[in-house]
Amino acid sequence: MKKYMLICLLLVLILVCIGCSQAKPAPSEPSATEPLVTEPTVTQPIEPNEPEQGMGGTGRATLEYKYDIYKHFYSLSTSFVELADEEEFRQWRATFDNEDGTTNYEDINLLTFIEEFDIPREAFEEVNNSYSAPLLSDEQVEALYSKDPTQLADCFANSYAIRVGDEIYPPKWVATHTAEEIAEAGITLEVLSEKCVEWAETFGELSEIHAQTQAKLAEYKAYAENKQ
């Protein structure tokens, strides 16, 4: 009898152990003290990041845009877009698409967005500061709302471009303008020479932009000699 009871007890213990090993833990509940933070989703990065052949793998924005895409001048997050009427925004956005399938991406930016839809600064700052990592600094927001060329250049200028006062001249601008136009823009031969060295290091000596700017540098040197 005692042997029978002992066997039954062992069977019960085995069944209990099996049940415990198969039991799934209850899903944990989110902490009430830790709010969920959703970072802004950028819907208009406006750098077509595809590298261009002959450009040393560098995207269009670095070569052509006045302002730096990495400083979010061209970033329209979904939260910013929601400050405008959805249908009006859609129509505005469509105006930058060309019949040949290209898009004027450089013209779609935070400054043109703010101007087009008359976005109040208070509403803009509320959205910008609602995330753990705001897209823009206070200085950048101030530059956008001041519309001051100096402040905009200070905060957003493309570091690969040549800056003369408040004007910004990207590498592609230099490559596609005459020596006379470059001189009239206030770009000196010394500055262009230094920048061409930087562009060679950045874009590569086999890149198309290097060949173009080197040719333009030679043209400028000849132009300067003839002017003397």
Side-chain angles (χ1 to χ4, degrees), residues 214-227:
Q214 284 296 315
K216 200 59 62 175
L217 178 60
E219 181 185 326
Y220 195 158
K221 287 179 179 178
Y223 171 80
E225 289 176 358
N226 291 331
K227 292 287 288 183

Side-chain angles (χ1 to χ4, degrees), residues 53-156:
Q53 294 182 355
M55 296 295 188
T58 304
R60 275 184 54 202
T62 302
L63 297 173
E64 299 182 14
Y65 293 8
K66 291 183 178 182
Y67 298 110
D68 191 335
I69 61 162
Y70 300 108
K71 295 179 180 177
H72 302 295
F73 185 79
Y74 302 101
S75 297
L76 295 185
S77 75
T78 53
S79 299
F80 288 140
V81 170
E82 288 173 356
L83 294 173
D85 178 81
E86 182 178 356
E87 179 60 22
E88 290 180 358
F89 175 82
R90 187 189 65 77
Q91 293 177 1
W92 175 74
R93 170 61 182 80
T95 63
F96 300 100
D97 294 328
N98 303 314
E99 292 182 359
D100 61 1
T102 61
T103 299
N104 301 326
Y105 285 109
E106 189 176 10
D107 297 329
I108 311 170
N109 56 62
L110 286 173
L111 182 59
T112 56
F113 170 74
I114 289 170
E115 291 176 334
E116 174 68 22
F117 298 101
D118 196 21
I119 305 298
R121 178 168 178 170
E122 182 178 348
F124 185 90
E125 288 180 329
E126 183 178 355
V127 170
N128 184 60
N129 297 326
S130 63
Y131 302 100
S132 56
L135 284 179
L136 303 169
S137 67
D138 292 341
E139 291 77 13
Q140 289 173 324
V141 174
E142 172 62 31
L144 288 171
Y145 275 87
S146 71
K147 303 178 186 177
D148 179 71
T150 300
Q151 292 188 51
L152 288 168
D154 288 345
C155 289
F156 298 106

